[in-house]
Amino acid sequence: MTVLENDTIAAISTPPGSAGIGKIRISGGSSIEIAASIFRSIKGKDLRKARTYTAHYGHIVNPENGKIVDEVICIVFREPHSFTGENVVEIDCHGGTLPLQKVLELILSNGAKLAEPGEFSKRAFLNGRIDLTQAEGIMEVINSKTEKSLDLAINHLSGKLSEKIKEIKDKVIALYAHLEASIDFPEDEIEGFDSSVLEKRLKNIKAQLEELISTSKEGIIYREGLKSVIVGRPNVGKSSLLNTLLEDKRTIVTDIPGTTRDAIEEYLNIEGIPLRIIDTAGIRKTEDLVEKIGVEKTEKYLKEADLVLMMIDISQGLGKDDIRIYELVKNKPLIILVNKTDLDPDFDYSEIEEKFKNHSLLKISVKEERGIKELKEAIINEVLGENIRRTDEEILISRTRHKIALEKALKAIERVIDSHRQELPYDFYTIDLRYCLDALGEITGETLTEDIIDRIFSDFCLGK
Ligand code: GDP
């Protein structure tokens, strides 16, 4: 697999909209040449002779008519000391959409091609600057929703996950080498490599894989956020709850448009877990989700939801409508919120508690802000369940792609353990060890096919 040699790519690397500066990135064999052909340095310097890591002040000039398009700073990175490993020029323009577009057009008409989404990162990967987990880490950093997700993303970016995978791989390789040697030279007893040692080493690898896999539930939630929905009949207090949660401005995280999603999405930060209330605005406006938008659409929302908060109003008691809504959501991860507890201190909860005994149930008063802290704890318990929170853990598996590969690796190791129990010949083991190595290699990208790599990078955003 090679990068299309000398194919020079360019894209606007900052988000759309007005800003102080906007950056255009050019990468490839001709990037410095192309930039030089449209750049006029104030000091009369030639960009072609610029050293690496130098910044140059001047104008972008249309070579056809000599017209100045923008005032810019060009930063030159010579290969291999750049993000992509190729010659790179970054042009800091003024941040309006029009100047950026004009400069980009000039670059394209002078020999570069428009970069595809993720193409810069893909080149960095193909040129061996970063591995796949690090490339994915870049996207995670960009899309982080809470500080905790950012910490995890930075760990991935800096290669902590790759190191861990490499550590496991090295153990598998060592084992593989020993077994191969035993197959090739059966009469030579290899020192310190008897059956019990072999089993111990296999079990150790198995335990490490299991440990990593067990972090994935939490890791995926930190990265993707949790889609949740508040349901309940009119006037139970849904909007009030939402407003209370939103009031605490520190808990709100806003996704910037133009990255991977089109719309602005708001996330509540529940102790580091990004919680997205689906159709926040919609619920705030409509009286009742089910009534106003129809059962069909509600069902669609519910289907997408990772968590449902269902509210009941004690001043109304448990009615037919509550039961109807409950029937729709009962199979989802569900928290029952019994609201307006301030209205009746002597309320008899036995019927409600009996009906919902299989779910977590909280007695709250949104008005008096009672039970809100407990609600946050309940959300964490409901979504992570038995999983211990690993807030101090450095590496959490945050992608389904990684989890699947680890599960493949684990199955392969389990097969080796099985072969060992059945005292099968070593040839059987080595096949599965190879399989395990391939699965681990998929995570860092060494053993992936080109089309899968293309697909992974196409999820990246433009200019990255
Ligand atoms: P929604 O239709 O489910 O969104 O309900 P709202 O949030 O609009 O609340 C309906 C009414 O109940 C409003 O007048 C709220 O002030 C009131 N309300 C909400 N929560 C409580 C509570 O805990 N106690 C009391 N007494 N009133 C509440």
Side-chain angles (χ1 to χ4, degrees):
M1 190 175 2
T2 49
V3 180
L4 288 172
E5 278 90 14
N6 295 326
D7 198 0
T8 295
I9 52 169
I12 299 171
S13 287
T14 39
S18 301
I21 63 163
K23 207 182 249 308
I24 293 176
R25 183 151 57 174
I26 322 173
S27 179
S30 325
S31 57
I32 297 174
E33 182 67 32
I34 292 171
S37 67
I38 57 168
F39 175 73
R40 193 192 294 149
S41 154
I42 297 287
K43 291 189 177 158
K45 276 194 186 160
D46 185 355
L47 221 49
R48 293 174 189 87
K49 295 188 186 127
R51 280 179 299 124
T52 190
Y53 300 146
T54 52
H56 306 267
Y57 171 52
H59 292 113
I60 294 294
V61 178
N62 186 338
E64 278 182 12
N65 55 21
K67 251 172 95 172
I68 291 178
V69 180
D70 199 2
E71 183 189 22
V72 300
I73 300 214
C74 285
I75 306 163
V76 174
F77 303 80
R78 290 196 178 267
E79 65 170 33
H81 306 290
S82 73
F83 173 65
T84 56
E86 305 172 328
N87 281 342
V88 167
V89 180
E90 290 185 0
I91 307 180
D92 285 350
C93 307
H94 287 109
T97 312
L98 201 59
L100 280 170
Q101 202 60 44
K102 289 225 142 205
V103 175
L104 180 64
E105 274 166 22
L106 273 181
I107 293 166
L108 299 181
S109 59
N110 280 278
K113 93 179 177 39
L114 188 64
E116 285 166 20
E119 200 170 354
F120 292 99
S121 305
K122 185 166 146 191
R123 288 186 174 205
F125 167 69
L126 293 177
N127 289 326
R129 301 282 301 167
I130 52 174
D131 74 17
L132 205 49
T133 65
Q134 290 172 296
E136 286 168 327
I138 296 171
M139 281 318 287
E140 284 172 35
V141 168
I142 295 173
N143 291 325
S144 296
K145 296 172 183 74
T146 66
E147 245 172 82
K148 176 70 188 168
S149 0
L150 180 61
D151 285 349
L152 288 171
I154 296 220
N155 283 342
H156 288 171
L157 179 63
S158 62
K160 287 226 167 78
L161 175 59
S162 322
E163 275 166 33
K164 183 82 198 164
I165 300 296
K166 186 170 177 302
E167 183 193 316
I168 302 177
K169 255 169 84 179
D170 285 347
K171 289 184 181 172
V172 180
I173 290 169
L175 211 56
Y176 184 88
H178 265 146
L179 289 167
E180 281 283 310
S182 306
I183 295 169
D184 293 343
F185 310 101
E187 60 286 353
D188 294 345
E189 190 66 22
I190 297 175
E191 214 179 309
F193 191 67
D194 61 20
S195 179
S196 70
V197 172
L198 177 60
E199 179 161 340
K200 220 167 120 196
R201 285 166 67 175
L202 283 168
K203 283 195 170 148
N204 171 279
I205 296 169
K206 177 173 182 260
Q208 277 197 301
L209 290 170
E210 282 169 339
E211 170 70 24
L212 267 186
I213 293 169
S214 74
T215 66
S216 61
K217 187 165 184 188
E218 191 167 355
I220 290 171
I221 287 172
Y222 278 123
R223 189 175 66 80
E224 293 184 352
L226 201 71
K227 285 189 205 146
S228 52
V229 62
I230 307 175
V231 295
R233 55 177 155 143
N235 289 320
V236 290
K238 298 182 295 295
S239 338
S240 310
L241 173 65
L242 193 57
N243 288 336
T244 302
L245 291 172
L246 288 171
E247 243 165 50
D248 187 354
K249 285 280 179 254
R250 284 164 308 173
T251 64
I252 303 178
V253 193
T254 303
D255 232 18
I256 311 297
T259 47
T260 47
R261 277 172 228 84
D262 295 332
I264 289 189
E265 291 178 353
E266 273 185 339
Y267 288 83
L268 297 174
N269 179 350
I270 308 285
E271 308 212 5
I273 294 183
L275 184 83
R276 180 178 163 217
I277 311 269
I278 301 178
D279 192 38
T280 308
I283 298 172
R284 261 186 284 192
K285 265 188 258 126
T286 51
E287 281 273 275
D288 172 22
L289 187 66
V290 181
E291 221 109 275
K292 279 273 163 71
I293 65 175
V295 175
E296 217 171 274
K297 205 157 180 200
T298 306
E299 277 177 347
K300 184 182 157 281
Y301 282 140
L302 291 176
K303 212 166 142 201
E304 284 175 12
D306 302 309
L307 172 72
V308 176
L309 306 178
M310 176 179 163
M311 284 184 104
I312 294 167
D313 174 350
I314 65 157
S315 67
Q316 301 297 311
L318 193 61
K320 261 206 219 107
D321 284 346
D322 295 315
I323 302 297
R324 180 174 63 97
I325 294 170
Y326 173 66
E327 289 300 318
L328 282 172
V329 300
K330 64 180 180 191
N331 295 323
K332 284 270 164 187
L334 176 66
I335 298 175
I336 308 282
L337 298 174
V338 187
N339 191 29
K340 306 199 191 178
T341 53
D342 55 290
L343 290 178
D344 184 358
D346 301 321
F347 186 78
D348 178 5
Y349 292 98
S350 50
E351 188 200 356
I352 291 179
E353 279 173 341
E354 174 57 26
K355 174 76 193 164
F356 302 116
K357 60 173 185 267
N358 297 326
H359 305 280
S360 29
L361 181 145
L362 289 177
K363 295 164 193 159
I364 65 168
S365 164
V366 177
K367 188 175 166 203
E368 295 185 351
E369 296 200 9
R370 265 193 279 137
I372 303 301
K373 195 169 143 264
E374 289 78 1
L375 170 60
K376 291 182 181 176
E377 280 162 18
I379 289 173
I380 290 165
N381 285 337
E382 188 64 34
V383 294
L384 294 177
E386 317 268 277
N387 280 45
I388 335 139
R389 294 200 79 200
R390 300 156 198 271
T391 32
D392 296 329
E393 199 92 11
E394 286 193 322
I395 308 161
L396 296 184
I397 296 301
S398 62
R399 286 179 185 266
T400 312
R401 188 182 84 73
H402 298 171
K403 186 182 166 210
I404 291 172
L406 286 167
E407 283 168 344
K408 274 203 252 174
L410 176 64
K411 284 220 180 77
I413 287 295
E414 284 170 345
R415 284 199 299 273
V416 183
I417 292 175
D418 248 18
S419 308
H420 184 243
R421 286 209 182 110
Q422 296 177 39
E423 299 183 2
L424 295 176
Y426 282 169
D427 306 49
F428 282 85
Y429 305 23
T430 48
I431 295 170
D432 284 322
L433 287 178
R434 256 275 47 105
Y435 195 77
C436 175
L437 285 175
D438 282 351
L440 292 174
E442 282 179 18
I443 298 174
T444 43
E446 292 144 58
T447 48
L448 280 182
T449 55
E450 201 168 337
D451 54 326
I452 294 181
I453 287 171
D454 284 346
R455 208 167 62 219
I456 291 171
F457 281 102
S458 67
D459 283 344
F460 280 40
C461 48
L462 214 65
K464 250 295 151 198

